[in-house]
Amino acid sequence: MKRNVRVMKFGGTSVGDAQCIERSAEIIARAAQSSPVVAVVSAMGGVTNRLIEAAQRAASGEEAMACEMIASLRTQHETALQALVADPAERSATGAEIERICAHAMNLCRGTALLRELTPRTLAAISSTGELLSARLMAATLRRLGLKAQAVDATELIITDDQYEQAEPLMEETREASRRRLFALLDDGTTPVVTGFIGATATGVLTTLGRGGSDYSATILGAALDAAEIIIWTDVDGVMTADPRLVPEARTLDEISYAEAAELAYFGAKVLHPKTLRPITEAGIPVWIRNSFAPDRRGTKITSAGHRARNGVKAITAIGDVSLITVGGRGIVGAPEAVAKTFAATASARANVLLISQASSQNDICFVVPSKEAGKTLEALRRAFAPDIQHHQVEHITVDHEVAIVAAVGEGMRGTLGIAGRIFSALGREGINIIAIAQGSSEYNISFVVEASAMKKAVATIHKEFGLESAS
Amino acid sequence: MKRNVRVMKFGGTSVGDAQCIERSAEIIARAAQSSPVVAVVSAMGGVTNRLIEAAQRAASGEEAMACEMIASLRTQHETALQALVADPAERSATGAEIERICAHAMNLCRGTALLRELTPRTLAAISSTGELLSARLMAATLRRLGLKAQAVDATELIITDDQYEQAEPLMEETREASRRRLFALLDDGTTPVVTGFIGATATGVLTTLGRGGSDYSATILGAALDAAEIIIWTDVDGVMTADPRLVPEARTLDEISYAEAAELAYFGAKVLHPKTLRPITEAGIPVWIRNSFAPDRRGTKITSAGHRARNGVKAITAIGDVSLITVGGRGIVGAPEAVAKTFAATASARANVLLISQASSQNDICFVVPSKEAGKTLEALRRAFAPDIQHHQVEHITVDHEVAIVAAVGEGMRGTLGIAGRIFSALGREGINIIAIAQGSSEYNISFVVEASAMKKAVATIHKEFGLESAS
Amino acid sequence: MKRNVRVMKFGGTSVGDAQCIERSAEIIARAAQSSPVVAVVSAMGGVTNRLIEAAQRAASGEEAMACEMIASLRTQHETALQALVADPAERSATGAEIERICAHAMNLCRGTALLRELTPRTLAAISSTGELLSARLMAATLRRLGLKAQAVDATELIITDDQYEQAEPLMEETREASRRRLFALLDDGTTPVVTGFIGATATGVLTTLGRGGSDYSATILGAALDAAEIIIWTDVDGVMTADPRLVPEARTLDEISYAEAAELAYFGAKVLHPKTLRPITEAGIPVWIRNSFAPDRRGTKITSAGHRARNGVKAITAIGDVSLITVGGRGIVGAPEAVAKTFAATASARANVLLISQASSQNDICFVVPSKEAGKTLEALRRAFAPDIQHHQVEHITVDHEVAIVAAVGEGMRGTLGIAGRIFSALGREGINIIAIAQGSSEYNISFVVEASAMKKAVATIHKEFGLESAS
Amino acid sequence: MKRNVRVMKFGGTSVGDAQCIERSAEIIARAAQSSPVVAVVSAMGGVTNRLIEAAQRAASGEEAMACEMIASLRTQHETALQALVADPAERSATGAEIERICAHAMNLCRGTALLRELTPRTLAAISSTGELLSARLMAATLRRLGLKAQAVDATELIITDDQYEQAEPLMEETREASRRRLFALLDDGTTPVVTGFIGATATGVLTTLGRGGSDYSATILGAALDAAEIIIWTDVDGVMTADPRLVPEARTLDEISYAEAAELAYFGAKVLHPKTLRPITEAGIPVWIRNSFAPDRRGTKITSAGHRARNGVKAITAIGDVSLITVGGRGIVGAPEAVAKTFAATASARANVLLISQASSQNDICFVVPSKEAGKTLEALRRAFAPDIQHHQVEHITVDHEVAIVAAVGEGMRGTLGIAGRIFSALGREGINIIAIAQGSSEYNISFVVEASAMKKAVATIHKEFGLESAS
C-alpha cells in the first residue's frame, strides 16, 4: 500500500519560540488534512549549544552552574508551553514530561560532575535533550489544533552504529523499526512528531547524528517510509544563486538537482549537508527547502533531474579560508610515485583535499585544503618527501595561505559551449587573477582559485555575467 | 681555470650520411677555432633500430641474418668513410676500427644466438654499436679537416648505475672521469668526439642512457665540464610555437626557459626529453637547439630566464592518444582516503598520470593517462575500489578513450590577466567543448582536455588567438 | 647521603583485620628503631573485589546497593579503628578521613549510576579506595605505638602512564617526586605509610598498577629511594620448593636469585608477579618474602646471585590448564617463513606462548598456550595457513588440550651434569610420559610437557629425586 | 592397468666409470627380466662440478680453457664407450650422440665467453650435460646386454617452474607427459634410461632440480608412473644407525619410515634430501637405498610404517657447524610480539632455524642456525630489536658458535617410557653437558644441543646406550 506520506522537518528557527512553533504547527495541521505527515523537529534555536556547555561545565566540576543552565532551559520550555496550550490537563501532562526530561539531563550533569569526566555517550545524551523537549511542545500544540499527535523519540526508529556523536544509520534495521512504529500511528490517524538529530544503537544506547543531524533524520525517515516528499522548513526561501552577502542580487532557485545541491552544499551554500541526500537519492524522493516564516512562497525543489538552466550556470558558490599547496621539482617528472606519495601524505594528515590541479610536465602538483589543515598537511608532506628533498628530487613544498575557491555550478555545462571562456574572460576584464583551475569531467562544475581578496568580486562578476539575478 | 668549452651534440640526421657528417664536421671545425669543443655524436639515422633488430633475431637463433645485418651496417660505414676520407693511412686505420667494432657486435650476436637468450646487458652492448662507429667517422673527418681529433668512448667518461637499458649517471664519478680524460685531450689541442647514448658502470660494463640518450650525454658532459654552452644540432630550426603539422603558421622561438622547454617536451614537442635538462639546470648552462642543415639560422636558446612573451602564451602543445578516467560516487564525499587510494592504484599500475582535475564536491576525481596504460589503470582501480563498489561507496569508474590534452605554455602567464578567458572564449567561439581543465599554480601552463577529434582545431585556434604566427 | 631505608610492604592478609594491622604495625615499629622504614599497604583482604563489585552494580543502576556496599566497608574500617586506637582525638581525626574517603567513593558510585557507564578511569578511582583506608588505619596505629607516622597517597609519588587499570611507572618522574616527598618526611623522623596499588598520571589522574600492584609499588619505591632492602610481608613463610598442595613435603627456601624468582613466578608459584622485580634488578636491591604472622621466621631472600643449590635443582613448579598446539606438514621442511608465520599468528591472537619446541626436521613446530587461549590461537593459525593447507604444504594443525607444563628451576643447572638425565629417568621409572621438552640455554630451567593427569605425580617425583624435602 | 614399474636411480659413483656402468647395467638387465624398469642416471662422478667450472671460466672469457674442459669430458665418455660397447654401429651412433651433446655444451660456453655473462638459464643448460651423456652410455650398454633400451631426456618428462637452478615439478603436467612418453616405450618392451637432475619449463627451456636432483627425478617419476618401488642405487649399504666416522660400530638399518628418513636426512645423514620424499609419501611407494657395488646386500627400505625398533631409538644423527642464538631480557616477559619479532627477523635473513627452545619465564628464546648464517641472523635480530635494546626491553642477543645438534630418531618414542631419561642419564655419566633440549611432540625425535667438541662422544654414548650396534 502506497501511503503518500510527507516528512516535514522544522529547524531550530522554525521552533524558535512559541510563535514559531504555532506557525509551524499550523503548517503541519494544514498539510495533514490532505495526506499523512510525519513531523521531525530540531531543538529550539540555541538550545543544543547551551546543553553542550552545561555538560562541559559539569565535567569541570561546576555542577551547580550546569544544573542551573538546565533549569533555565526547563523554564524556557515551560513558558512556551504556557503560551501554546491552555488546557490544564494538557499543560499538566506535557509539563510533567518536560520536568522528567530535564531531570534526566540534570542527573547526567550531576553524574558527570561527580566523576569529572565527560564521555562521548553522556555528551550525546545531554545534547539531545532539546529535541526531546521541542517534540513534546509541538505534539501538544498539534493536539490543541485538533490533531491526534504524539511525540516519538527517534531512539525507537533510527538504529545506528555506535559512534555516539557522529552516528550513521543502519538502514535495514531503521526501515523495519520506523515502519512498524510510525505506520501504526499513521494508520490510527495520529501525526507522529519525531525528535530530530537522535538515534540509538541496536542495544538501545542513544546516539546523535552529528551536525546537520535533523535534516538527516528527515531524509532517513523519508527513505524508510518511502515518502512522497520531504520538506525542510527553514528560515530562508530556498537555495539561492549565490550567497546574498556576496551578491545582493542573488535570487532563489525554483528547482535544482541532487548533484547541484551537493555541489552547492559542499562549497558552503550551507543549505544541506551532502550526506543528507544519500538516503533518498536512489529512490529519487524530492526534497523541498521552504521558509516556515513565509509558507506561501514556493521554495526550492531538489530532484533527480533538476531544472536545466538557460545558459548552463545556475549558481555560484565560494569557499574562503583555504590554502593552496604546491609540491614541485625536477625529480617529480614522470614519477608515478610522486602523486601517490603526495596524497598518501594528505590522507595520513586527515586533510580535506578540496581541489587538485596537476598538469603538463608533472613538475608541479597543486591542491587546496582548508587553511586550518594546511599546517599539518605541510608537515606530513615534508616528512614524506624528506629523502627526496635531500636528494634534490623535490625542490619546493610551498603554501599560499590567502586564497579562495570559487565554483560555478549547473547541470548541463558540458553541453553548453564557451562557458569556461565566458567565466574567465569576465574575470580577466575585471582584473581578477586566476591562480588555478580545476574543471572536472563532471557536467556541472567549474572551480577555480583566486586570491582571497578577490573572492567577492569574482562571485559577483560571474553572477552578473550569466544574468543570474533574473529568472532563467 | 675556466675553459669556455662548448659541447656540441649531433643527432642521427646530422650524421645521417657522408654529406651530413661533412657538414657537421665543418660546424665543429669552425667552432673549434674560437674555443674548445667537445663533440657528442649519435648513431647514423636508423642504425640503432637495426642493431636492436639484429640482436633480437640472434636471440631467436637467426645468427646468419643477424650477422648479415651487422655486415650491412659495416658496409654503410665503410662507404661513408670512403666518401669522407681520401688519405690511405687514415682510411686504413679507421677502417680497421670499424672492422673491429662490427666484429665485436657480430660476436655478441653469435653469443646470443648460441644461448638463445638476449640479456639486457648484451642488448645494451649491441645497440650502442652505432655510436661507436659514427664517432670514428666524425673523428676521421675532423682530422681530414685539419683538426687534431679523437674518438672517445663514453664508457670512459659517464659512470652510471646498472640499469643497462635506462642508466642514470652518477654525477660525482662522471665529473671526475670526464674532466681527467677530456681536459687532457683539450689541453693538448685535441677535439674529443664522444659516443652519445652510452655510459658504463663503475666496474666497466657498458650501459645505455635510454631514449633521448645522446642529448642526455651532451648535458651530462656539459655539466661535468662546466661548459659555457651546449648546442644540440638537429634537423629543425629550434623549438616552435606549435607542431607545424597541426599549425602550418607555427614559428621558431628565439628563446625559452628551461621550465617552458620541460613543459613543451612533456606534451610532445619532442625537442628534448625533460630529463635532459636536469644536469644543467642548477648551473644555468644555456642549451641551444640548432639546425645542422641550416647552421646560419639562430635556433632556439634555452636559458634559466627564457624570454618573456608579449602576451604570456609562447607555444601550444598537444598530446593525443590519451584517456580520461573518472572515479566517482557518493561515498567519496569528504573521504581523505579516496584520493590517496586512487593514486596509489595508478602508481601500482605504473601508469603515467598526465593531468589531474578534482574539484568541487569531491564526488569525482578525474585524471588522464596515455591510452595504452588505461587498461591496466582501470584494472588497478577496480581492484583497489572493489570493496567500495560493493558497498556503493563508489558508483562508477569510467574511461573516455577519445580525448587529447592541449596546453598553452609561457612564463609569466600568472601576471597577465585574462589569458584563461581568451583561451576558453576562443575555443567556445569555435565550438570546441572543454572536457576538463587543469591549470596548476605554475605560471607557465594552462592545460585542458578536449575530444580527440577537436585537438587540431583547438591548437590552431589558440595559436591564432595569441598571434603566435608573428614574432612577439 | 645513603639513608639505609627499608621498604616494607604488607599484603591484604597482613592488614586483614585490627589484630593483623596491630601485628604488622609492631613489625614496622620495631624495624623503625634501627633504620628508616617506608611502609606500603594493600587494602584489607577482600576489600578491592567488593569495591569493584560496587562499581559494577552502580553501572547497572543499582546505586543504593553500591552505596550500601561502600557503607559496609566504611563500618568495617571504623570498627577496626575503634579496636586499634583509643585516643579520642586520633579516633576522631582518622574517623573523619575514613568518612571523607568513603564519601568520595560513594559519589563516584552515584555518578556512575546516573550515567550507567563505568569508565576505566572511574573504576580505577573506586577500586583504590581500600588502600586509601588501610593506610590511614596503619598510620593511626603506628602513632598509637609512639611513632611519628603519616599516611601518604601514592598519587603524590608514583607517576605513571595513563593506562588507568594497568599503569606503568615513569621512573624518572617517580624518582624525583618520591624522593622529594618521602625524604622530607623521613628526615623529619616520620614514617610514611604509602597506599599500595596506586599511582597517578602526570596531570594528577589516579591510576592503578594492575594485579600484584602493591608489591610493584614497593619495588618501584625501593628503586626510587635506593632502598637497602624491600620486605614483602605476606601470609606464607617464603618461596617454597614446590606447591605444597602438590607436594606436602615442600620446604621454604632460604635464598633464591631474581632469575629463579621470575621463573617460579611465571610458572604459577604466585609469589611475585615477574614485573615486580624489574625496577630493582639493575640496582641489585634484595627483596625478602616474609610471614607477618610469624615474623621470627627467616623468610626467603631474593638476590642477584641467589644461593647455589647442592644439586642444581632448587624448586619445581607446574602450570596446568594449558594446551599443546602442533603445526606440521611436508611443506614446512626448510621453510624459513613457516616459523615466522606461526608466531605472527600467535601474536595476532595475543596468545601467550609459554613453551616452544621445534626440532630436527622442521616437520613440526609445537608450542604451549593457556587452554583458554587455544581456541583463538587455532583460529588464527588456520587463517594464516589456509593457503598452505589447501596446497598440502601444511598437513595438520592440532591441539592437545589436556597437558601441563612442569619446570625444574635452579641457578647453575648448566654446570651440573646429568640433571636432565636424572629428571627424565625418574619420570620414566614412574611411568610418566614426556610429551615435549624445552630446555633453553638458560642455566636455571628445564621445562617439559606431560599429560595433565600426570602433573602432580611428575612434580612429586622430581621433588623427591632431588631431595628437596631436606635442606640443601 | 597396474604396470608394476620399478624406478632405479644410479648415482654418480654407480656410473663413475665403465666398470661401474657395466655393473649397474647388469643390475637393470636382471631386474628388467621380472618387471618393467625405468632407469634414472646421474652424471658420472665429478662431471657436474667440472661443467660448472667450465661455464664460469667461459664467463670470465677463458673460452679456450672452457672448451678444453668440455673436450676432456667428451674424451672421458668416449673412452668409457669404447670399453662398454664393441659393436661398431652402436659405437658410431652413440659416439655421434656424445659428439653432438658436447658440441652443444661448447657452443654454450662459446656464447657465454662472447657475452662474458653467465645467465642462470645457460648455467643450467651447461651443467646438465653430464646426465645427457651418462644416459647415452647406459642405454648403449643395456642394448649390448640385449635389452631394448633408449636414452630419454627428462626435458620431455618433468615439467617444472622456471627457477632454472632449483626448479620444482608441476606434478599434473609431469604426470601426463611422463606417462604418455614412458608407457609407450615400456609397452614396446623398451627400457627407458632417463637423465636425472633435469626438467624443462612448459615452454621447453631446460631447468635443473638443484642438489640431490637425480634422487628427486626418481621419486617424481615414481609418483608419476605409480611405480611399485623406487630403488636408489648408491655406494653405501643403506641408512645407518649413525655416521660411521663418529661411531665405528654403526650398522645398516633394514627398514625405516619416511618420517625417520626425513629426520635423518635433515640432520646430515645425507642419504636423501628431505624434498625427495615428498612426491611419493602420499601414495606410500617404498624407496630402497641399496649399494650398487654390493647388489646382493639387502639395503634399507623406506616405507610409510617403518619398522618399530625394540627400544624406540633407531638411529643417531648430528649436525655440526651450528650456532646457538639467544634473545633475552626483562622486557620480553609475557610479550606476545617478542617471539613473532624474533622469527620474523630470522625469516627476513633467510636463516634456516634448525631447533628452537623457549620455555618457562619467556625471558629467553634460544634457537640454532647453521654457523654460516649466524652473522646475518644476528644482524637482522639487532636491527629488529634496536628500539627494544635502547629501551632496555631486550638485554642481550648472544651467539654461541661452537655447538652441535644431536638427535635420537625413532618411530614410537612416545610410547616408550624413559627414553629421555636414558639419553640424558647416559650423557650425564659421560660428563657431557646439555646446552639445550627440544623434544617436539613428534613421536620420533629428541634433539639436544651440546658443545661442538662433545658431539662425537654424545653420538657414541647414545648409540651404545641403546645397543644400536646389534640388530634390533
Side-chain angles (χ1 to χ4, degrees), chain C residues 263 266-267 353 360 362 425, chain D residues 263 266-267 353 360 362 425:
Chain C
E263 299 280 336
Y266 186 73
F267 278 121
V353 176
S360 75
Q362 298 184 309
S425 295
Chain D
E263 299 279 336
Y266 186 71
F267 278 121
V353 176
S360 75
Q362 295 184 312
S425 295

Side-chain angles (χ1 to χ4, degrees), chain C residues 248-270:
Chain C
E249 300 79 14
R251 207 177 34 76
T252 303
L253 290 156
D254 279 355
E255 185 169 339
I256 61 173
S257 68
Y258 294 146
E260 289 169 341
E263 299 280 336
L264 291 167
Y266 186 73
F267 278 121
K270 275 171 195 165

Side-chain angles (χ1 to χ4, degrees), chain C residues 115-397:
Chain C
L115 304 182
R116 296 285 171 90
E117 190 183 9
L118 179 57
T119 63
R121 175 175 153 161
T122 297
L123 177 55
I126 295 173
S127 64
S128 67
T129 303
E131 279 76 12
L132 300 178
L133 294 170
S134 61
R136 268 71 188 177
L137 288 183
M138 179 62 82
T141 309
L142 288 175
R143 285 192 291 270
R144 202 212 66 210
L145 294 176
L147 261 68
K148 287 175 75 172
Q150 185 178 324
V152 179
D153 290 351
T155 49
E156 297 181 58
L157 310 176
I158 298 180
I159 314 304
T160 72
D161 60 24
D162 66 353
Q163 301 175 73
Y164 297 114
E165 298 175 273
Q166 194 95 24
E168 281 296 327
L170 308 173
M171 283 307 294
E172 282 299 310
E173 292 84 338
T174 297
R175 186 175 173 87
E176 208 224 307
S178 298
R179 295 173 82 89
R180 195 178 45 229
R181 182 84 167 91
L182 296 180
F183 284 162
L185 291 171
L186 293 174
D187 290 349
D188 176 49
T190 301
T191 298
V193 180
V194 180
T195 57
F197 186 48
I198 309 178
T201 65
T203 59
V205 180
L206 185 145
T207 59
T208 55
L209 301 174
R211 288 281 147 189
S214 290
D215 293 338
Y216 204 14
S217 304
T219 55
I220 291 167
L221 291 178
L225 304 178
D226 298 326
E229 59 184 28
I230 294 154
I231 306 167
I232 307 294
W233 291 97
T234 177
D235 56 357
V236 296
D237 287 351
V239 179
M240 302 191 75
T241 52
D243 184 337
R245 286 167 301 182
L246 296 176
V247 185
E249 300 79 14
R251 207 177 34 76
T252 303
L253 290 156
D254 279 355
E255 185 169 339
I256 61 173
S257 68
Y258 294 146
E260 289 169 341
E263 299 280 336
L264 291 167
Y266 186 73
F267 278 121
K270 275 171 195 165
V271 176
L272 287 179
H273 190 283
K275 74 177 175 186
T276 309
L277 295 169
R278 273 190 232 161
I280 49 84
T281 304
E282 204 166 327
I285 303 172
V287 178
W288 289 86
I289 310 293
R290 298 188 64 182
N291 191 342
S292 70
F293 297 85
D296 46 335
R297 295 205 191 133
R298 186 182 188 280
T300 300
K301 187 178 188 183
I302 309 176
T303 60
S304 291
H307 170 262
R308 186 69 176 274
R310 197 172 43 199
N311 53 27
V313 174
K314 207 175 247 172
I316 322 293
T317 60
I319 181 160
D321 286 330
V322 295
S323 297
L324 181 85
I325 296 179
T326 307
V327 178
R330 292 171 290 171
I332 285 190
V333 173
E337 302 79 16
V339 177
K341 216 166 176 176
T342 299
F343 295 111
T346 62
S348 80
R350 315 286 319 154
N352 220 356
V353 176
L354 303 174
L355 179 149
I356 305 170
S357 180
Q358 184 246 353
S360 75
S361 64
Q362 298 184 309
N363 274 308
D364 285 288
I365 302 166
C366 81
F367 60 91
V368 176
V369 296
S371 288
K372 68 174 188 293
E373 298 175 2
K376 66 179 182 183
T377 306
L378 271 182
E379 208 180 292
L381 285 166
R382 280 182 185 139
R383 211 163 34 235
F385 282 105
D388 305 83
I389 290 168
Q390 215 174 337
H391 294 94
H392 300 293
Q393 302 289 301
V394 166
E395 278 160 357
H396 57 268
I397 299 176

Side-chain angles (χ1 to χ4, degrees), chain A residues 91-108:
Chain A
R91 272 194 186 178
S92 150
T94 300
E97 279 282 278
I98 290 169
E99 181 74 16
R100 183 187 58 75
I101 291 164
C102 290
H104 182 64
M106 277 188 203
N107 275 340
L108 294 174

Side-chain angles (χ1 to χ4, degrees), chain A residues 266-267 350 353 360 362 425, chain B residues 263 266-267 353 360 362 425:
Chain A
Y266 186 70
F267 279 121
R350 313 285 318 151
V353 177
S360 74
Q362 296 184 310
S425 294
Chain B
E263 298 279 336
Y266 185 72
F267 278 120
V353 176
S360 77
Q362 298 183 310
S425 295

